[in-house]
Amino acid sequence: MSAATYPNYSPGLEGVIGGISTISEIISETSSLVYRGYDVHDLASKGCFEETAHLLIYGHLPNQAELDALKKTLANEREVPEQVYTAMKQMPKNAHPMDLTKAGFVAYAPFDPDYAKPATDDAANVAKAIRILAKASTIVGNGHRIRQGLEPLKPKAEHTIAQNFLYLMSGQEPDAKTAHVLDSSLTLYAEHGYNASTFACRVTVSTLSDLFSGVASGIGTLRGPLHGGANEEAMRMLQEIGAPDKAEAWIHDALTNKKKIMGFGHREYKKRDPRAIYMTKVAKELSAEKGQTNWSEIADILEHVMETEKNIYPNVDFPAAYAYYVLGIPIDLYTPIFVIARVSGWSTHMIEQLRNNRLIRPNCIYEGPTSATWVPISER
Ligand SMILES: CC(C)(COP(=O)(O)OP(=O)(O)OC[C@H]1O[C@@H](n2cnc3c(N)ncnc32)[C@H](O)[C@@H]1OP(=O)(O)O)[C@@H](O)C(=O)NCCC(=O)NCCS
């Protein structure tokens, strides 16, 4: 039977309203995204990621004193217990950094000072959200060291979240441009309504489970190539194409063969993804500045063909992919970077869910066999 048989059924829950939220709004018709009323372009171009995280978690943009206080708390909470690194070191070297990141959070959870607090303890949840935010860049950055057989580094108090990740990842002080580009991308990746991973987080805590369990669900959900994993796949696709003069033939061939083009399309945006508009500008400027325009030239050709032939536009993962590549970030860290940003949105949603909780438990339509008759095992 097809979906059309059931008027109330929407495959993939497309168009289904899953809840009421005050966190962000996606306006498809105007290609805009606002976090608590603020245009994401303003947040990415005028503010820093920490301001956006404050806006999401506390509900308002911080004044200078509040931002200073948040940065101080983040610096104090950035380190993770040695046992977390010990647990991460047990993973095989081929473990994807998303699994390493998930393992890091799972190992950290029982060490959290509010671990035993009930799921509905709002103050504890906000405190956990800040610690999750503080530790994410450390877990990802030092996770990258661990898988290379290197010892974790001690985070520096004076670093921002973007700088902390870059410093731990490379062992070197990041330059201002690299930190700025990464910081802008973190703001763009921070929050996006009821996307799959956020919804998974909300489902998890709706059972009165805890924020750390929600983060584990979120990481697992984000990993897939139809969601966060698209930024890694997009870069691998650009590498496969290799050069601008190969791009046109490659994309026509891919479309003829009904291939999904990673980094293109979006369930919510039928026109342009506002995050992609901003990130493309950043990625192109960066590519020109660094004299590495190969990827942006290929990207232009793919975008043109996708728009004219399919009316499908790039999403944020497409320009983020080649921006990160030009910054020298290993490809399999692109989705973990998404985690560093999105933990702010996930935690905010989980807090919102728990402030007015109802167990999330939809129905399904049963189409399996009926009236089966029990047959003893010896006769089957
Ligand atoms: C994001 C995504 C899953 C949204 O998908 P969705 O709302 O379920 O829409 P569908 O996958 O059903 O696509 C609808 C149509 O557009 C086409 N389409 C959508 N995205 C496409 C893409 N990236 N490449 C080629 N065709 C695409 C589909 O083939 C389908 O065409 P059809 O009706 O002729 O079969 C989808 O666009 C996709 O897979 N994109 C690539 C992965 C990606 O970049 N994900 C990150 C999202 S931020």
Side-chain angles (χ1 to χ4, degrees):
M1 265 188 255
S2 75
T5 317
Y6 308 106
N8 295 327
Y9 168 49
S10 174
L13 301 184
E14 181 167 3
V16 171
I17 295 167
I20 295 173
S21 176
T22 63
I23 303 169
S24 68
E25 186 181 17
I26 294 167
I27 311 161
S28 181
E29 305 74 50
T30 54
S31 288
S32 45
L33 169 65
V34 292
Y35 299 165
R36 299 206 186 271
Y38 294 93
D39 192 301
V40 76
H41 288 190
D42 283 340
L43 295 168
S45 61
K46 297 175 184 158
C48 63
F49 173 58
E50 283 79 359
E51 280 175 278
T52 288
H54 188 290
L55 171 68
L56 294 171
I57 296 169
Y58 293 106
H60 65 272
L61 276 178
N63 60 28
Q64 192 61 54
E66 288 169 324
L67 182 60
D68 292 346
L70 174 64
K71 285 186 172 173
K72 197 168 169 208
T73 309
L74 291 172
N76 290 339
E77 297 288 1
R78 196 158 274 161
E79 190 53 283
V80 297
E82 193 53 42
Q83 291 94 323
V84 173
Y85 295 136
T86 306
M88 291 167 75
K89 285 175 187 169
Q90 308 312 306
M91 305 276 287
K93 292 284 170 283
N94 67 343
H96 189 281
M98 284 294 272
D99 285 328
L100 212 51
T101 306
K102 179 147 44 72
F105 273 109
V106 169
Y108 168 71
F111 290 98
D112 190 82
D114 289 325
Y115 179 60
K117 296 271 171 69
T120 48
D121 185 327
D122 193 62
N125 287 340
V126 172
K128 282 180 195 172
I130 299 299
R131 284 192 289 273
I132 288 167
L133 178 68
K135 292 176 198 314
S137 56
T138 303
I139 289 174
V140 176
N142 271 334
H144 181 59
R145 297 185 68 78
I146 286 169
R147 72 185 174 132
Q148 296 173 92
L150 300 170
E151 276 308 305
L153 287 175
K154 197 172 159 38
K156 292 185 179 177
E158 67 272 22
H159 280 162
T160 63
I161 289 172
Q163 288 170 326
N164 183 51
F165 162 72
L166 290 165
Y167 167 64
L168 299 179
M169 177 201 80
S170 65
Q172 285 163 10
E173 204 55 44
D175 66 81
K177 176 76 187 179
T178 302
H180 178 67
V181 169
L182 188 72
D183 187 88
S184 306
S185 75
L186 294 181
T187 294
L188 298 175
Y189 269 140
E191 157 59 15
H192 213 209
Y194 267 47
N195 59 86
S197 59
T198 301
F199 192 57
C201 290
R202 290 191 77 127
V203 170
T204 301
V205 298
S206 83
T207 68
L208 297 186
S209 185
D210 64 290
L211 261 63
F212 294 105
S213 300
V215 166
S217 299
I219 294 172
T221 310
L222 187 68
R223 187 176 168 188
L226 296 187
H227 193 5
N231 54 15
E232 297 180 20
E233 295 302 322
M235 192 61 226
R236 294 201 176 92
M237 173 182 76
L238 291 174
Q239 283 184 314
E240 186 190 322
I241 298 168
D245 62 357
K246 306 246 171 58
E248 185 132 6
W250 189 96
I251 185 81
H252 283 300
D253 185 55
L255 291 178
T256 305
N257 289 306
K258 304 241 170 277
K259 246 187 165 178
K260 271 261 168 105
I261 312 302
M262 290 297 146
F264 282 83
H266 201 276
R267 173 67 66 77
E268 293 293 321
Y269 299 112
K270 295 310 168 200
K271 293 181 192 157
R272 290 183 187 276
D273 174 344
R275 305 165 303 167
I277 296 172
Y278 189 81
M279 199 63 216
T280 300
K281 183 173 161 288
V282 170
K284 282 195 171 175
E285 281 169 11
L286 176 75
S287 304
E289 204 173 297
K290 301 265 181 188
Q292 293 183 46
T293 54
N294 190 46
W295 311 115
S296 62
E297 286 172 36
I298 300 175
D300 278 348
I301 296 164
L302 300 192
E303 284 181 36
H304 177 71
V305 173
M306 285 298 279
E307 184 181 339
T308 48
E309 302 224 341
K310 300 279 291 181
N311 204 21
I312 295 177
Y313 299 92
N315 57 58
V316 65
D317 290 319
F318 190 60
Y322 64 90
Y324 291 163
Y325 194 85
V326 172
L327 292 180
I329 299 172
I331 296 173
D332 60 5
L333 291 182
Y334 296 0
T335 320
I337 291 173
F338 198 153
V339 174
I340 295 172
R342 188 55 66 84
V343 287
S344 59
W346 288 342
S347 293
T348 307
H349 273 273
M350 290 190 281
I351 291 167
E352 184 178 65
Q353 178 69 33
L354 287 163
R355 281 180 184 160
N356 187 19
N357 189 48
R358 184 123 203 263
L359 175 71
I360 298 174
R361 204 294 184 201
N363 289 339
C364 68
I365 296 154
Y366 179 68
E367 285 192 337
T370 54
S371 310
T373 305
W374 171 261
V375 178
I377 196 163
S378 58
E379 294 170 27
R380 279 177 238 156

